[in-house]
Amino acid sequence: MNLASHYVCDDCHTQVPLRTPALLCEACGGLLEIEYDLAAADPAGIVEQAAKRRDLGLWRWSALLPDAEPLHLGEGDTPLMRTRRLGRHVGLPNLLVKNDTLMPTGSFKDRGFSVAVGFARSIGVRQAFTYSSGNAGASFAAYAARAGIEATILVEDVANESKISAISLTGARVLRLRYRSSLEIFAGVSALSEAGFYCFVNFINPVRHEGMKTYAYEICEALDWRAPDVMVHPVGTGGGLYGAWKGFRELHRLGLIDRLPRMVGVQPAASAPLVKAFNEGKKVAGRHGDANLTVAQSIAGDAPIQGGSRVLKAVYESGGRVVAVDDDDLFEAMRLLGEEGVSAEPSAAASTAALLRARAQGWVSERDTVVSVVTGGALKQPSALARAARPPQGTVRADPAELLRIFREGIG
Ligand SMILES: *Cc1c(COP(=O)(O)O)cnc(C)c1O
Ligand SMILES: [Zn+2]
């Protein structure tokens, strides 16, 4: 049984039938959200069904997703790993890493795009677009290719060449986007959406965070139906953090968990509009900083879409916060994650970087169960990987005598 019932507008509460390619509210321009008939749900049945269908990845939660064509590339069910040295290093013995670098296109974006593109396909969308700093584009392009949807990706000029190449490999149309501020991007994508072009940009599209909800389901299931105390997620638009929060709230309403985690968002200090808004106690974020001044390309933007209002609301309601990290901390976090066997691009290491000083800053305690999400793999941004890496210890000829001498002197 599928419980998704309709869209509802955040602002004027207008209801819109679900199986239409709706984006923003036509009455007032507000954000739409998919509502579920949770009162009719059988929580124990949902959990039991999901436990039996592990081969389906995140689609095993279909009762709590909109009805969609299951475009399966292997998304979901990424490991939630107990850390070894890292947890001790930051003073959090119950630190867990959710490794979403193992998603099909190498970033957590596949949670949202698998569901949103599958939904779009099931309601007959044939052409669509998004903008991206790289990872969203690669994910959208891959699922659109599987769905037979003609995809156009407006790629931000901070995107690196590897990401652009990965997008083009799918046959998608790629346009490089020139702009001075993220606000110009939002004006452009809003105009296209209002003109009827189906848009996959977070929040304008009301379906992507339905896929990102599955974070909450997977994490609480792995913790034996307990929520963590804190979930830390890097934030660009905030779609990932907001999606997870929606998932935790649904589990709470279903009675499957008895409390909610504090949601912590992380941005690069060089462009941290949500951190600024949070520190000033504001509900809407304006512009801050310069996205070109950080290595964290995937979370660099001088303004969040729609003023980041939903993200800030989630952070305030949960008792969480938004914190800034600088590039040196990102490189250190990449090395610390590497020592756990996890390779992260700088933006993906931001959640871990935020924890380096969290104990000293006082927003986590050693008793907290903390989930730090690693959102994308290091190979996504080869130049940053090279900067984070330690140089090789030396060069040696493939000569048995020389190798034996060096190893006997203390290597190996
Ligand atoms: C997109 C992205 C983020 C930020 O996600 P939002 O939903 O835009 O907040 C974080 N990390 C990586 C690796 C990403 O690709
Ligand atoms: Zn409205």
Side-chain angles (χ1 to χ4, degrees):
M1 189 172 67
N2 182 284
L3 303 162
S5 60
H6 57 271
Y7 304 99
V8 62
C9 171
D10 274 6
D11 297 335
C12 75
H13 309 293
T14 296
Q15 297 192 1
V16 181
L18 186 57
R19 305 202 61 74
T20 52
L23 296 171
L24 297 171
C25 171
E26 287 193 358
C28 79
L31 301 180
L32 297 182
E33 184 82 293
I34 297 182
E35 282 280 303
Y36 292 77
D37 186 8
L38 294 184
D42 163 20
I46 292 173
V47 168
E48 197 183 316
Q49 274 300 310
K52 277 196 219 138
R53 296 161 68 196
R54 293 213 171 258
D55 53 316
L56 295 182
L58 61 76
W59 297 98
R60 62 200 180 88
W61 304 102
S62 61
L64 298 172
L65 299 173
D67 209 7
E69 192 141 319
L71 301 169
H72 197 29
L73 295 176
E75 56 289 324
D77 282 340
T78 55
L80 183 67
M81 301 166 34
R82 190 158 287 282
T83 61
R84 298 160 64 84
R85 287 155 67 168
L86 178 59
R88 252 179 281 140
H89 181 79
V90 299
L92 295 169
N94 300 314
L95 174 59
L96 302 162
V97 166
K98 179 75 171 160
N99 186 1
D100 261 35
T101 72
L102 299 176
M103 285 292 208
T105 74
S107 87
F108 86 100
K109 295 291 196 303
D110 295 338
R111 289 187 188 277
F113 280 108
S114 54
V115 173
V117 175
F119 175 79
R121 159 92 203 153
S122 76
I123 58 169
V125 170
R126 292 257 146 256
Q127 291 182 327
F129 76 98
T130 197
Y131 89 86
S132 171
S133 65
N135 291 343
S139 180
F140 171 47
Y143 286 99
R146 294 288 291 186
I149 289 176
E150 197 186 301
T152 300
I153 293 106
L154 304 167
V155 188
E156 293 179 9
D157 52 17
V158 294
N160 70 61
E161 290 305 319
S162 315
K163 289 182 179 175
I164 294 176
S165 305
I167 300 170
S168 337
L169 208 57
T170 66
R173 185 189 296 123
V174 180
L175 299 170
R176 285 179 196 267
L177 193 58
R178 288 216 307 268
Y179 55 92
R180 281 157 305 186
S181 160
S182 305
L183 295 173
E184 289 180 0
I185 304 181
F186 304 147
V189 299
S190 301
L192 288 169
S193 309
E194 278 155 29
F197 295 98
Y198 195 71
C199 171
F200 277 96
V201 174
N202 265 334
F203 299 121
I204 292 179
N205 183 293
V207 192
R208 270 180 66 190
H209 58 261
E210 296 302 317
M212 294 183 279
K213 282 187 330 197
T214 56
Y215 267 142
Y217 307 160
E218 291 177 15
I219 290 168
C220 292
E221 181 191 49
L223 296 177
D224 215 6
W225 299 104
R226 222 165 29 82
D229 297 292
V230 181
M231 175 161 171
V232 194
H233 201 285
V235 164
T237 65
L241 182 145
Y242 178 76
W245 174 239
K246 186 173 192 248
F248 287 118
R249 268 167 40 233
E250 287 175 357
L251 295 180
H252 194 247
R253 278 171 61 196
L254 287 166
L256 287 167
I257 55 175
D258 59 12
R259 61 194 169 85
L260 294 164
R262 310 197 290 280
M263 304 299 292
V264 176
V266 190
Q267 297 203 297
S271 69
L274 288 163
V275 178
K276 180 168 187 284
F278 176 81
N279 289 340
E280 294 169 354
K282 296 209 169 113
K283 291 183 177 165
V284 178
R287 270 179 79 173
H288 175 265
D290 181 344
N292 295 302
L293 299 181
T294 172
V295 71
Q297 293 166 351
S298 303
I299 51 173
D302 64 356
I305 191 144
Q306 301 283 333
S309 54
R310 272 190 183 164
V311 194
L312 287 165
K313 192 159 178 269
V315 166
Y316 290 128
E317 274 179 23
S318 72
R321 59 182 53 223
V322 198
V323 297
V325 292
D326 57 36
D327 283 8
D328 286 341
D329 287 344
L330 294 174
F331 289 124
E332 188 186 347
M334 285 171 75
R335 288 187 288 269
L336 290 166
L337 284 166
E339 291 171 14
E340 298 286 337
V342 175
S343 96
E345 70 163 70
S347 303
S351 38
T352 303
L355 292 170
L356 295 175
R357 274 176 261 288
R359 281 292 305 278
Q361 291 165 353
W363 50 271
V364 283
S365 89
E366 86 181 320
R367 288 179 308 281
D368 285 335
T369 297
V370 179
V371 173
S372 176
V373 185
V374 184
T375 44
L379 293 173
K380 290 260 181 185
Q381 203 177 329
S383 59
L385 173 57
R387 281 175 68 190
R390 300 170 176 92
Q393 269 70 37
T395 305
V396 59
R397 273 190 309 127
D399 167 65
E402 185 170 334
L403 283 164
L404 281 167
R405 179 179 58 74
I406 286 177
F407 274 65
R408 283 185 180 134
E409 279 168 8
I411 297 176

